[in-house]
């Protein structure tokens, strides 16, 4: 889970016991109540505004985590040629590929597995199948610290992107995508919510075996209220969307993110002890991965950094080293604190 804006936490705390005079917490109110309908409708309206989502796209507030979309995407979209192109850029992409293979013919266009997922693999546009039902990729890879700086031109084939760990971190043209989905707990709010943004013409073609709860058309027709939605997990992102609006929108957010990442990468590149993991041209501005080259030194640094209140920087168990997840709400002060801890550790070791 991400760092949340202090202003959002303070407002949520203020409204915890009595939301706008209702006498109850958002957690307690009926999802069919006038007060809650206003919350979910405003959250959608604000998300549409800050992302520039066109009118011919539906916004769905769903449950099950982003991982559930590994199944939902092929069950809803892999229904024409029953072929899809996937990019293998990390663990979550690998899981999505494995799941999609249960439903159709999946072609792995390119993979960086042999390089330890340290880069976004090169590919030729001719490798993309013009008859594919969709092209799928994970835009930012949290574990290995890589991202697609540019998205492939898929022509008339819908581009489906898992943006769980970078949504709202940079400007994108939503009209270039057929479907975008993201778990909320990195840049939008608390765990428990998955947002799906899907072009209307891609709905209504789901496989007969698709569970009702995973059918995009059914969920859209029910305004994301086919069952009780994750009410509080929608309320918090609603506050985050307003925070982004009030702080310059996604344009300003992207600028802040690039400045934060540049400071940290500059420290790593100038260091004689720490080394970046991701290849230069594939570096993420959300997840910065680095190492000393020694597991013992890595563990020592993580421990000493924690003593300076720099926490949650241990790398994923499959990658080791360190990982600084510097999502939207991470302050520049937080980055500077990490850098100071790194410099002090380098001098001592």
């Amino acid at each position: 889970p991400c760092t949340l804006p202090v202003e959002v936490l303070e407002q949520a705390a203020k409204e915890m016991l009595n939301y706008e005079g209702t006498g109850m917490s958002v957690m307690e109110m009926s999802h069919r109540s006038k007060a809650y309908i206003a919350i979910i409708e405003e959250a959608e309206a604000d998300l549409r505004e800050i992302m520039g989502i066109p009118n011919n796209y539906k916004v769905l507030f769903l449950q099950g985590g982003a991982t559930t979309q590994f199944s939902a995407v092929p069950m809803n979209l892999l229904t024409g040629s029953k072929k899809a192109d996937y990019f293998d850029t990390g663990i979550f992409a690998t899981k999505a590929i494995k799941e999609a293979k249960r439903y159709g013919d999946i072609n792995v266009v390119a993979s960086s597995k042999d390089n330890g997922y340290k880069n976004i693999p090169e590919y030729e546009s001719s490798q993309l199948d013009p008859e594919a039902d969709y092209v799928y990729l994970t835009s930012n890879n949290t574990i290995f610290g890589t991202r697609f700086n540019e998205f492939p031109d898929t022509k008339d084939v819908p581009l489906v992107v898992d943006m769980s760990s970078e949504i709202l971190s940079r400007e994108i043209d939503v009209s270039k995508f057929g479907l975008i989905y993201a778990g909320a707990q990195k840049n939008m709010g608390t765990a428990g919510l998955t947002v799906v943004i899907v072009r209307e013409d891609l709905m209504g073609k789901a496989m007969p075996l698709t569970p009702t709860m995973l059918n995009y058309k059914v969920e859209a027709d029910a305004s994301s209220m086919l069952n009780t939605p994750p009410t509080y997990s929608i309320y918090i992102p609603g506050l985050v969307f307003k925070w982004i609006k009030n702080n310059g929108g996604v344009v300003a957010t992207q600028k802040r993110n690039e400045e934060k990442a540049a400071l940290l990468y500059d420290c790593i590149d100038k260091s004689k002890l720490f080394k970046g993991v991701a290849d230069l041209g594939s570096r993420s501005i959300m997840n910065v991965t680095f190492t000393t080259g020694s597991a013992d030194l890595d563990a020592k640094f993580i421990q000493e950094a924690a003593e300076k209140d720099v926490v949650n920087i241990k790398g994923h168990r499959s990658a080791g080293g360190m990982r600084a997840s510097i999502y939207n709400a991470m302050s520049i002060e937080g980055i500077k604190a990490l850098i100071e801890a790194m410099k002090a550790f380098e001098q001592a070791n």
Side-chain angles (χ1 to χ4, degrees):
C2 65
T3 299
L4 286 167
V6 172
E7 299 94 324
V8 167
L9 293 173
E10 289 175 341
Q11 184 173 348
K14 181 181 177 182
E15 297 174 339
M16 176 60 75
L17 299 180
N18 184 3
Y19 177 77
E20 294 192 354
T22 60
M24 66 185 83
S25 169
V26 173
M27 292 189 213
E28 300 172 297
M29 63 178 57
S30 165
H31 67 289
R32 300 291 183 186
S33 68
K34 183 178 180 181
Y36 190 75
I37 294 293
I39 288 173
I40 192 170
E41 289 182 348
E42 201 165 323
E44 178 179 339
D46 286 340
L47 181 60
R48 284 184 175 276
E49 180 180 342
I50 60 179
M51 286 190 70
I53 300 173
N55 291 333
N56 64 323
Y57 285 72
K58 292 293 187 183
V59 175
L60 308 178
F61 294 129
L62 307 178
Q63 301 175 69
T67 301
T68 299
Q69 298 306 310
F70 297 168
S71 304
V73 166
M75 284 193 284
N76 280 272
L77 305 186
L78 198 59
T79 57
S81 66
K82 292 183 172 53
K83 297 188 294 181
D85 288 332
Y86 275 63
F87 285 84
D88 176 23
T89 54
I91 287 176
F92 294 110
T94 300
K95 289 182 177 181
I97 290 167
K98 181 180 179 181
E99 192 67 21
K101 283 183 175 179
R102 299 175 61 184
Y103 305 102
D105 183 8
I106 303 303
N107 170 52
V108 177
V109 177
S111 173
S112 52
K113 182 178 181 179
D114 291 344
N115 190 35
Y117 294 121
K118 294 179 181 179
N119 66 298
I120 297 299
E122 295 183 359
Y123 65 94
E124 298 292 336
S125 57
S126 59
Q127 293 173 254
L128 299 175
D129 185 353
E131 295 183 355
D133 288 328
Y134 61 89
V135 176
Y136 179 104
L137 60 85
T138 307
S139 64
N140 184 79
N141 301 285
T142 56
I143 294 173
F144 301 100
T146 64
R147 77 161 184 177
F148 279 82
N149 290 308
E150 295 183 2
F151 294 103
D153 180 1
T154 59
K155 308 298 182 186
D156 295 328
V157 178
L159 178 59
V160 175
V161 180
D162 174 358
M163 286 191 182
S164 292
S165 54
E166 72 154 3
I167 195 164
L168 301 176
S169 70
R170 58 168 162 164
E171 272 197 296
I172 62 165
D173 181 353
V174 175
S175 69
K176 301 288 187 184
F177 303 86
L179 185 149
I180 295 167
Y181 72 84
Q185 68 272 18
K186 303 303 183 188
N187 265 337
M188 289 189 283
T190 54
L193 172 71
T194 303
V195 173
V196 174
I197 302 165
V198 56
R199 208 172 65 211
E200 289 179 348
D201 65 290
L202 298 178
M203 298 190 303
K205 306 170 186 176
M207 296 177 180
L209 58 78
T210 305
T212 302
M213 288 296 296
L214 299 188
N215 189 310
Y216 296 143
K217 181 69 165 60
V218 175
E219 287 282 7
D221 289 345
S223 300
S224 301
M225 290 196 184
L226 192 59
N227 69 334
T228 304
T231 53
Y232 204 76
S233 293
I234 293 171
Y235 159 72
I236 293 292
L239 298 182
V240 172
F241 302 155
K242 288 193 182 300
W243 175 78
I244 291 175
K245 280 178 62 176
N246 295 335
N247 285 275
V250 176
V251 175
T253 301
Q254 178 175 340
K255 183 179 179 181
R256 290 192 297 270
N257 287 333
E258 289 172 347
E259 289 173 352
K260 291 184 298 184
L263 276 176
L264 186 49
Y265 280 123
D266 183 61
C267 174
I268 292 169
D269 292 340
K270 290 179 178 177
S271 174
K272 294 180 181 178
L273 178 62
F274 297 102
K275 304 172 186 64
V277 175
D279 286 357
L280 190 63
S282 298
R283 283 175 164 178
S284 165
I285 64 170
M286 293 284 94
N287 309 97
V288 179
T289 51
F290 57 103
T291 180
T292 63
S294 161
D296 290 340
L297 270 181
D298 287 349
K300 184 180 179 184
F301 172 67
I302 291 165
Q303 179 182 341
E304 293 187 10
E307 293 170 1
K308 300 177 186 292
D309 294 330
V310 177
V311 299
N312 293 336
I313 59 168
K314 185 178 181 179
H316 190 271
R317 60 186 179 276
S318 65
M322 281 73 67
R323 172 178 58 171
S325 292
I326 52 177
Y327 297 118
N328 286 350
M330 171 55 66
S331 66
I332 194 76
E333 290 76 20
I335 304 300
K336 290 178 180 178
L338 171 58
I339 290 172
E340 287 305 311
M342 292 169 68
K343 288 180 177 179
F345 187 81
E346 179 171 341
Q347 191 172 8
N349 292 274

